[in-house]
Amino acid sequence: MKPFNIAIDGPAGAGKSTVARRVAEALGFVYVDTGAMYRAVTWNCLERGCDPDEDENVAKLARQCDIRLRPGENGQEVWVNGRNVTEEIRSAEVTSNVSRIAQNREVRELLADMQRRMAAEGGVVMDGRDIGTTVLPDAPVKVFLTASPRARAERRFLELKDKRPSLTVEELEKEIAERDRMDSEREVSPLVQAPDAVRIDSTNLKLEEVIGKILELCRTKVAGEA
Ligand code: CDP
Ligand code: CDP
């Protein structure tokens, strides 16, 4: 299949990363997790004791941040300035600060430029919040993946219950709702469905069904070009 780009956006816990990784594997494309890049900038900022609300300092630190996404033994690894931070960027502290950092205009411009360079040759499946609207507006396949807030919280709960044993589904649903609110209401490239994106509600779908639907969209695209 001639390489083209696929944009997958949607709210937290909708299944974007899992689905994007599997679609990339099926097509022999490269998976790019843009959320991991915002998390990496957030981790670096907290590590350096920078207040996430100090926009200029956050942007300055982000400019000095060398972020690498590398294939590792257990999936994609995230490195910041030569340090492997794959585990650290998933911490509760990073999660609760990332949407604040993601409102920073300069940080967004910096990361969007990097993301466009990563996709310049095509053959990339990129997931995030603004891929179909801002980063790759010309991507031939765009998906807006969503699910009910409860379903998303339950999925996240299953992933986190061993790491954060005191957490309840209700608390997680609140945490996710707050992050979705900040992501949707921010001024710069908010989380919104691109007009030409195909909406998939995965509340009652199995992973395999979601992946099947996206691969079908890709086949339709290729058939349309033939
Ligand atoms: O996987 P999860 O849904 O927890 O989030 P993520 O994809 O790792 O993204 C973490 C945060 O980064 C989001 O809540 C957004 O605030 C921000 N983000 C963004 O603003 N734009 C993107 N393209 C990707 C992530
Ligand atoms: O990237 P995003 O935050 O949108 O979601 P994720 O990190 O891929 O997490 C979604 C979780 O829900 C994973 O553990 C998936 O196995 C599970 N899941 C799903 O993604 N889609 C379904 N239709 C059912 C379950």
Side-chain angles (χ1 to χ4, degrees), residues 9 12 14-15 25 29 38 56 66 73 90 105 119 127 147 180 185 193 200 215 218:
D9 291 302
E25 272 167 22
F29 286 10
Y38 285 91
E56 284 196 14
D66 177 22
E73 267 177 31
R90 305 286 160 196
R105 184 180 295 274
D127 86 307
D180 287 349
E185 290 179 1
Q193 180 176 347
I200 300 179
L215 290 175
C218 295

Side-chain angles (χ1 to χ4, degrees), residues 208-226:
E208 304 302 330
E209 292 175 300
V210 178
I211 295 162
K213 278 179 186 283
I214 299 177
L215 290 175
E216 187 54 38
L217 286 174
C218 295
R219 280 191 283 272
T220 309
K221 185 227 146 333
V222 172
E225 280 190 352

